[in-house]
């Protein structure tokens, strides 16, 4: 009986760090993104945070107070970006929002829209309008079936009602009440991968459909690539698509997106007060590092009296998701 040796091809992925012509370095910090916790009323199948109604992790009073101090201490922070989970469900949401507004900063709330219909949260649309909060709302498609498959039964209808509510209080209509929507591609079922459609064209499609069918208006559409992080990574691994998806993203690497990456001028903070270069690194437990290799916390930033302690941005292969095609960020495509 002879031994037959089978050569199994193992795909090779170039390290993201090696793909760059030089290391990613921090610019001056102007954005503070705070993930208040994993508590959420939904459990979306593409959620990189792996949030759900069963999660209990959230901001503590101590870390909340440190963040309020940070917001007051550093005027160079122009934007405070509140996310989760459903940020509205987690401890410290309103105190942080009001601290940021009291210091003249723009506040972004990343809302799933359906939270407005949960007990105790029915004041949110009016509250947001009162404080002129910029609402960035997830609506991964303008068709009901696609949204409900990704986010749960009935989510589309609730989202439409929530958007109409926001319009009623002035969002999308008044210049100081900005309403943006977020598109995420469906998770792939085979190796026929695709990047998000061209953002400007898709925005036009969204606006026409939502206006014609629901009399909804909004300001901007952001197309965001599904990075292989959190539930998306788990899904891809279960389908044996994780490596091939990374290869696909690498094959569409666009060097011209690099200078626009959101990690350049952003600090991402988790509910424990740890500091990261971006929300994706936060979910993969890849902390930001000082020049001497120390991990950062909010308390260390306060003690040092400066936000500029990071020189090189930490990267991993999932960063190809932010640099593929037109690029991707929390503010949508990076280039036209």
């Amino acid at each position: 009986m002879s031994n037959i040796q089978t050569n199994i091809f193992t795909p090779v992925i170039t390290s993201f760090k090696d793909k760059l012509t030089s290391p990613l370095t921090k610019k001056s910090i102007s954005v503070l993104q705070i993930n208040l916790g994993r508590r959420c009323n939904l459990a979306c199948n593409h959620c990189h945070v792996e949030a759900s109604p069963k999660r209990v992790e959230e901001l503590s009073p101590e870390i909340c107070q440190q963040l309020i101090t940070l917001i007051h201490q550093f005027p160079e922070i122009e934007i405070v970006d509140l996310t989760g989970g459903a940020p509205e469900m987690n401890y410290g949401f309103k105190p942080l929002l009001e601290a940021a507004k009291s210091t003249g900063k723009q506040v972004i709330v990343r809302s799933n829209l359906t939270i407005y219909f949960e007990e105790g949260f029915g004041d949110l649309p009016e509250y947001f309008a009162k404080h002129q909060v910029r609402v960035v709302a997830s609506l991964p498609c303008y068709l009901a079936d696609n949204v409900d498959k990704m986010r749960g039964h009935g989510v589309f209808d609730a989202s439409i009602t929530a958007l109409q509510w926001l319009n009623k209080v002035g969002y999308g209509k008044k210049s100081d009440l900005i309403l943006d929507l977020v598109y995420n591609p469906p998770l792939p079922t085979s190796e026929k991968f695709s990047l998000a459609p061209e953002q400007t064209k898709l925005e036009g499609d969204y606006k026409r459909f939502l206006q014609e069918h629901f009399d909804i208006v909004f300001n901007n559409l952001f197309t965001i690539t599904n990075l292989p992080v959190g539930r998306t990574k788990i899904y891809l691994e279960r389908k044996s698509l994780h490596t091939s998806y990374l290869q696909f993203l690498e094959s569409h690497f666009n060097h011209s997106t690099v200078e626009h990456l959101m990690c350049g001028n952003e600090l991402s903070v988790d509910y424990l007060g740890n500091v990261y270069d971006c929300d994706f690194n936060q979910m993969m437990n890849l902390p930001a590092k000082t020049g001497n290799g120390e991990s950062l916390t909010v308390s260390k930033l306060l003690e040092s009296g400066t936000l500029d302690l990071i020189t090189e941005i930490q990267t991993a292969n999932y960063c190809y998701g932010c640099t593929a095609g037109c690029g991707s960020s929390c503010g949508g495509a990076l280039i036209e």
Side-chain angles (χ1 to χ4, degrees), residues 24-287:
L24 283 181
T25 54
K26 259 327 189 207
K27 305 169 187 174
S28 296
I29 300 301
S30 59
V31 179
L32 177 66
Q33 186 174 70
I34 305 170
N35 189 303
L36 283 80
R38 309 288 178 97
R39 291 160 53 88
C40 190
N41 59 313
L42 300 178
C44 303
N45 63 16
H46 65 295
C47 179
H48 71 280
V49 181
E50 299 181 65
S52 81
K54 296 180 180 180
R55 303 297 290 263
V56 296
E57 306 97 317
E58 64 178 346
L59 207 65
S60 68
E62 178 187 7
I63 301 302
C64 181
Q65 188 54 54
Q66 288 180 6
L67 285 164
I68 289 172
T69 303
L70 192 81
I71 288 167
H72 281 277
Q73 186 169 320
F74 295 101
E76 61 263 44
I77 296 173
E78 299 172 1
I79 298 172
V80 175
D81 188 342
L82 302 176
T83 184
E88 304 97 326
M89 290 184 72
N90 291 273
Y91 181 86
F93 173 71
K94 287 185 176 180
L96 286 166
L97 186 157
E98 291 171 22
K101 291 302 296 185
S102 72
T103 55
K105 304 182 193 306
Q106 182 187 65
V107 174
I108 295 173
V109 173
R110 297 190 180 272
S111 181
N112 67 28
L113 298 173
T114 64
I115 186 63
Y116 311 157
F117 306 106
E118 299 288 340
E119 185 177 354
F121 298 97
D123 68 321
L124 286 174
E126 286 79 7
Y127 176 80
F128 289 164
K130 175 185 175 183
H131 292 283
Q132 298 179 340
V133 172
R134 184 171 189 163
V135 177
V136 178
S138 180
L139 192 72
C141 185
Y142 52 75
L143 300 177
D145 286 350
N146 290 348
V147 172
D148 286 358
K149 283 177 184 176
M150 293 179 74
R151 311 193 68 204
H153 179 70
V155 169
F156 179 81
D157 289 342
S159 298
I160 291 298
T161 303
L163 290 170
Q164 291 169 333
W165 189 352
L166 288 169
N167 279 174
K168 186 177 179 181
V169 299
Y171 273 94
K173 298 179 178 181
K174 297 181 179 179
S175 61
D176 56 356
L177 297 180
I178 305 299
L179 173 61
D180 301 320
L181 301 185
V182 172
Y183 165 87
N184 292 94
L187 294 179
T189 57
S190 69
E191 292 190 357
K192 294 181 179 179
F193 304 121
S194 61
L195 297 174
E198 198 274 320
Q199 184 168 278
T200 302
K201 181 181 182 303
L202 187 61
E203 178 180 288
D205 293 341
Y206 262 72
K207 286 186 172 180
R208 281 188 294 275
F209 188 90
L210 293 176
Q211 175 82 62
E212 290 172 7
H213 290 81
F214 304 107
D215 197 28
I216 287 170
V217 294
F218 66 94
N219 295 94
N220 307 289
L221 179 73
F222 299 149
T223 57
I224 300 182
T225 300
N226 291 320
L227 266 68
V229 172
R231 287 202 188 106
T232 297
K233 181 183 179 185
I234 294 168
Y235 168 87
L236 291 169
E237 288 176 337
R238 189 182 300 128
K239 295 283 188 179
S240 299
L241 294 172
H242 180 249
T243 300
S244 52
Y245 184 61
L246 277 174
Q247 279 189 300
F248 168 77
L249 294 175
E250 182 193 349
S251 71
H252 288 81
F253 173 76
N254 183 348
H255 192 272
S256 62
T257 64
V258 173
E259 64 178 301
H260 304 289
L261 289 171
M262 63 183 179
C263 54
N265 64 338
E266 174 184 287
L267 294 179
S268 171
V269 179
D270 70 9
Y271 61 90
L272 296 171
N274 300 308
V275 177
Y276 304 82
D277 291 307
C278 72
D279 195 48
F280 299 113
N281 280 0
Q282 181 183 144
M283 295 311 129
M284 295 301 286
N285 196 29
L286 184 61

